Amino acid sequence: MKKIVNTVAVVDYGMGNLRSVAQAVLHAAADSGVNVIITAEPAQVRAASRVVLPGQGAMPDCMRELRASGLLEPVLEAAASKPLFGVCVGMQMLLDHSAEGPAGVGTPGLGLIAGEVVRFDLAGRVQEDGSRYKVPQMGWNQVFATQPRHALWSGVPDGSWFYFVHSFYARPSDARHTAGEADYGGRFTAAVARDNIFATQFHPEKSAAQGLALYRNFLHWNP
């Protein structure tokens, strides 16, 4: 299928807060000439000029549905050839393996970024205000870009606040693939990047102006 110029495809494989992601990307794309589509059609994902891979819920469910939908191969093709933005579990899926899933087995990922997805181990830990850490982390947290600063952070002040909901987080094998960090009982990877791939553990679509700035940067990013 012929490539659709200036189209971003939000992948609909039955998981993720598609409408919220799509509305945020649409808002970011206003007056830019970029067309935004939500699609479950492999051909449309292949034809798009850039792709957003959302994810929400459990990693095993997301991987199963991505395969069942027929969208696994188009997503892998996109990751090899065009800008790809992963969101939340959509980020975790990019790594080799997640501890989430059957005990002692976990769930294989897409293997696009070397590393593991691990669960917060914060039992009995206490925050500075005396309250116990809760898992999942749910709420706003500051994110700090790693160096060299990735192009998608352009115009986003370091230490900006983003919205998180997660019990697991990515642990890339190569520190160069960590594009941003946050702190929740210790520093953890909040964003990953490699070549034409960028992904966040937090939800840009729930993160007000700074989240929209990230999506806007993605729409014009030419890695």
Side-chain angles (χ1 to χ4, degrees):
M1 185 172 180
K2 186 179 179 182
K3 183 176 179 179
I4 303 172
V5 178
N6 291 331
T7 292
V8 55
V10 180
V11 181
D12 178 7
Y13 60 101
M15 303 292 293
N17 52 333
L18 289 166
R19 298 297 166 187
S20 296
V21 171
Q23 286 302 314
V25 177
L26 276 166
H27 190 67
D31 302 319
S32 70
V34 178
N35 183 40
V36 181
I37 60 172
I38 300 173
T39 182
E41 297 296 328
Q44 289 188 328
V45 175
R46 288 188 168 102
S49 52
R50 54 195 70 225
V51 171
V52 176
L53 178 66
Q56 188 166 284
M59 171 86 161
D61 296 336
C62 287
M63 287 300 300
R64 182 188 66 248
E65 294 303 315
L66 184 63
R67 288 192 180 90
S69 68
L71 291 164
L72 175 62
E73 288 303 321
V75 166
L76 290 174
E77 291 168 17
S81 61
K82 64 187 74 170
L84 173 72
F85 195 128
V87 181
C88 195
V89 181
M91 180 191 92
Q92 296 177 5
M93 293 165 71
L94 301 178
L95 278 80
D96 292 324
H97 184 267
S98 174
E100 187 174 15
V105 178
T107 304
L110 298 174
L112 296 170
I113 293 178
E116 299 285 321
V117 177
V118 298
R119 194 178 196 277
F120 281 118
D121 183 11
L122 299 171
R125 297 277 304 279
V126 177
Q127 303 186 69
E128 289 183 4
D129 64 3
S131 64
R132 290 183 181 273
Y133 282 102
K134 295 180 180 179
V135 177
Q137 176 190 198
M138 187 179 299
W140 296 84
N141 202 345
Q142 286 181 286
V143 176
F144 296 89
T146 54
Q147 299 299 324
R149 203 167 193 265
H150 195 278
L152 261 66
W153 295 122
S154 177
V156 178
D158 211 26
S160 290
W161 294 81
F162 292 91
Y163 190 81
F164 290 80
V165 182
H166 64 126
S167 299
F168 293 78
Y169 63 93
R171 185 181 287 165
S173 300
D174 189 333
R176 291 176 298 178
H177 293 154
T178 294
E181 294 183 323
D183 192 299
Y184 194 67
R187 300 284 275 195
F188 71 91
T189 295
V192 298
R194 179 182 68 78
D195 303 326
N196 55 299
I197 297 170
F198 186 89
T200 63
Q201 180 61 67
F202 55 83
H203 290 270
E205 71 281 0
K206 297 180 180 179
S207 299
Q210 305 307 343
L212 289 176
L214 270 182
Y215 281 142
R216 193 173 297 113
N217 289 340
F218 173 70
L219 295 176
H220 301 285
W221 178 41
N222 293 300

